[in-house]
Amino acid sequence: MNPNRLTQFAKNLIAFVIYFLGIPWLVREWICRNKVTILLYHDVSSKVFEKHIKYLIRNYNIISLESLVTAIYNQDFTVLSKKSVVITFDDGHIDNFKLLPIFHKYSIRPTIYVCTQIINTHRHFWFKIEGLSKKEKEHLKRIPNEQRIIYLRDLSNFEPKIEYKDRQALNIDELKQMMDSVDFQPHTQTHPILPNCTELDCKQEILGSKTDLELMLDLDCLHFSYPNGDYTEREIEFVKECGYRSARTTDIGWNTINTSPYTLKAIPITDSAGYIRFCAEMTSIPQRLAKIVNTFLWRRVK
C-alpha cells in the first residue's frame, strides 16, 4: 500500500475508535466545560467548514478571540459561556474568502492571522512551493532563516518578494469585504520561523506586520500568531514590546483563566477532516499522537 494512503488509513482508524468509544462527548462535557478551545485552521473548504460549524453550534458556544483574552486579563471566566470555542485561521489563504457566507449565515466572527507582505500581492508562501516535500519542509523549519532562503532559492529560484502569475493570498478588496465579519490580525510579514531569525529580523517581522496591517485596514492590531507555533522567551518579549495583548501558539491544549495571553494554546484541525475525524480531533488525541510520531521519526532522521 502507498505510504500516504497507509498513513491516512491509520489516522482514520484512530479517529473511528475515538469517536465510537464516546471520547469526544467525555472530553467536551468534562474537560472543555470550563475551558476555552481555540481551533486552528489554514485553508479549509466551504463544504467541510460548514459541517464543522454545524457540529460546533450544536455542542459548543462560539466566541471571539477578544472575549477570551479580556476574560484572562480580568481573571473572570464567568462572563464566558460553558464549552466556549474560538475559531482562528493562519496565513490568509485566498480561499478563506469563500467562507464569508458561512460567517454571515452562522453569525460567527473568526480571527484570521495574515502574513502582511504576502496578502494583497502575487507573492507565494514559501511552504507551498511546488516540489517541496514534507521532509524538506520539516528540515527548513529547523535551520537558520538565511539558510532557508538560500535553500529555496537554489531549489526553485524562490525569493520572498517575487510576484508570480497566480495569487495564493487574500487581496485588499477581499479583506475589506470581510472586515465586518472577521477579526484580522498579524502573522508576521513573510512567515519565517521566528526563533531561527536574527534578533533584528525577528523584531521586524513582529512589529512590521502590525504596522503593515494597521495601515492597510485602518485598525488596531492587538493579537499575534507565531508562525508554525514556534517561539522562545525572546519572541514573547518582542510581542509584548510591540503592543500586542495576546499571541496564539500551536501548543496543543485548552485555555484556562491561568493561561498566559502570550502563549494561548490551540487545537489544530485538519483542513480536510470529515465529520468523524473532526469529532476525534476535538479531543486533541490524534494531534498528540501525530506529534509523538513525528518527533520520533525526526530524531531517527537526524
Side-chain angles (χ1 to χ4, degrees):
M1 183 182 288
N2 181 286
N4 288 332
R5 291 184 65 183
L6 183 61
T7 299
Q8 290 304 313
F9 174 80
K11 288 181 178 179
N12 290 332
L13 179 60
I14 290 169
F16 182 87
V17 172
I18 292 169
Y19 180 81
F20 282 97
L21 286 177
I23 297 176
W25 181 87
L26 290 171
V27 169
R28 182 176 73 243
E29 298 300 327
W30 292 96
I31 295 178
C32 298
R33 190 166 187 82
N34 296 304
K35 298 177 182 177
V36 178
T37 307
I38 299 180
L39 300 185
L40 166 57
Y41 289 94
H42 289 86
D43 198 12
V44 61
S45 71
S46 299
K47 183 178 179 180
V48 170
F49 185 64
E50 185 162 19
K51 290 180 180 178
H52 294 183
I53 293 299
K54 287 180 178 179
Y55 172 84
L56 292 173
I57 287 176
R58 289 196 306 270
N59 297 285
Y60 290 85
N61 293 288
I62 301 174
I63 64 172
S64 68
L65 175 67
E66 180 62 32
S67 296
L68 166 61
V69 173
T70 298
I72 291 175
Y73 274 102
N74 292 339
Q75 289 291 283
D76 182 10
F77 263 34
T78 63
V79 299
L80 303 179
S81 302
K82 300 293 185 182
K83 296 174 286 187
S84 288
V85 170
V86 174
I87 297 173
T88 68
F89 294 79
D90 274 1
D91 308 328
H93 296 275
I94 186 172
D95 283 345
N96 289 171
F97 183 70
K98 296 178 181 179
L99 304 178
L100 184 56
I102 300 174
F103 302 158
H104 287 158
K105 181 177 179 179
Y106 296 98
S107 300
I108 58 176
R109 185 176 176 81
T111 294
I112 300 182
Y113 297 100
V114 297
C115 298
T116 60
Q117 292 196 1
I118 300 178
I119 56 170
N120 201 38
T121 73
H122 279 65
R123 298 169 188 169
H124 281 184
F125 296 104
W126 69 263
F127 48 84
K128 295 184 75 172
I129 292 176
E130 188 174 350
L132 192 64
S133 69
K134 183 177 180 180
K135 182 178 178 181
E136 286 175 309
K137 290 178 188 178
E138 290 304 312
H139 169 68
L140 292 174
K141 292 175 183 178
R142 291 169 168 81
I143 63 176
N145 194 51
E146 287 301 317
Q147 290 184 27
R148 175 182 64 85
I149 293 173
I150 292 171
Y151 185 98
L152 293 172
R153 185 183 297 143
D154 292 341
L155 177 69
S156 64
N157 295 317
F158 176 84
E159 294 286 351
K161 295 188 178 181
I162 286 180
E163 298 279 346
Y164 294 84
K165 289 183 178 180
D166 60 315
R167 180 164 59 92
Q168 292 187 342
L170 296 165
N171 64 26
I172 190 66
D173 289 336
E174 292 162 342
L175 291 164
K176 288 183 176 179
Q177 288 184 60
M178 299 173 77
M179 279 184 65
D180 286 344
S181 299
V182 173
D183 170 34
F184 286 108
Q185 299 293 339
H187 189 45
T188 69
Q189 294 179 310
T190 62
H191 204 289
I193 307 303
L194 292 174
N196 297 339
C197 294
T198 64
E199 184 168 315
L200 181 63
D201 288 343
C202 178
K203 193 161 189 177
Q204 172 58 38
E205 289 280 346
I206 294 170
L207 178 59
S209 58
K210 187 177 193 294
T211 303
D212 289 344
L213 196 57
E214 289 180 338
L215 288 173
M216 191 181 300
L217 297 180
D218 189 24
L219 48 72
D220 291 327
C221 294
L222 300 173
H223 309 289
F224 183 78
S225 169
Y226 304 105
N228 200 51
D230 291 324
Y231 65 94
T232 66
E233 286 300 319
R234 182 187 72 172
E235 283 69 49
I236 293 174
E237 288 306 309
F238 283 168
V239 167
K240 291 179 180 178
E241 289 174 16
C242 291
Y244 293 101
R245 295 184 71 223
S246 79
R248 202 219 64 228
T249 72
T250 58
D251 296 345
I252 299 171
W254 295 274
N255 298 281
T256 71
I257 198 169
N258 295 316
T259 301
S260 166
Y262 294 100
T263 55
L264 296 174
K265 298 177 181 179
I267 303 293
I269 300 297
T270 303
D271 285 333
S272 59
Y275 179 79
I276 290 178
R277 187 160 171 182
F278 175 65
C279 293
E281 289 187 348
M282 288 295 292
T283 71
S284 82
I285 295 172
Q287 297 92 319
R288 294 177 191 274
L289 290 174
K291 188 172 184 179
I292 292 170
V293 171
N294 289 337
T295 300
F296 172 75
L297 292 176
W298 180 252
R299 285 175 178 170
R300 289 195 63 183
V301 169
K302 289 200 295 185

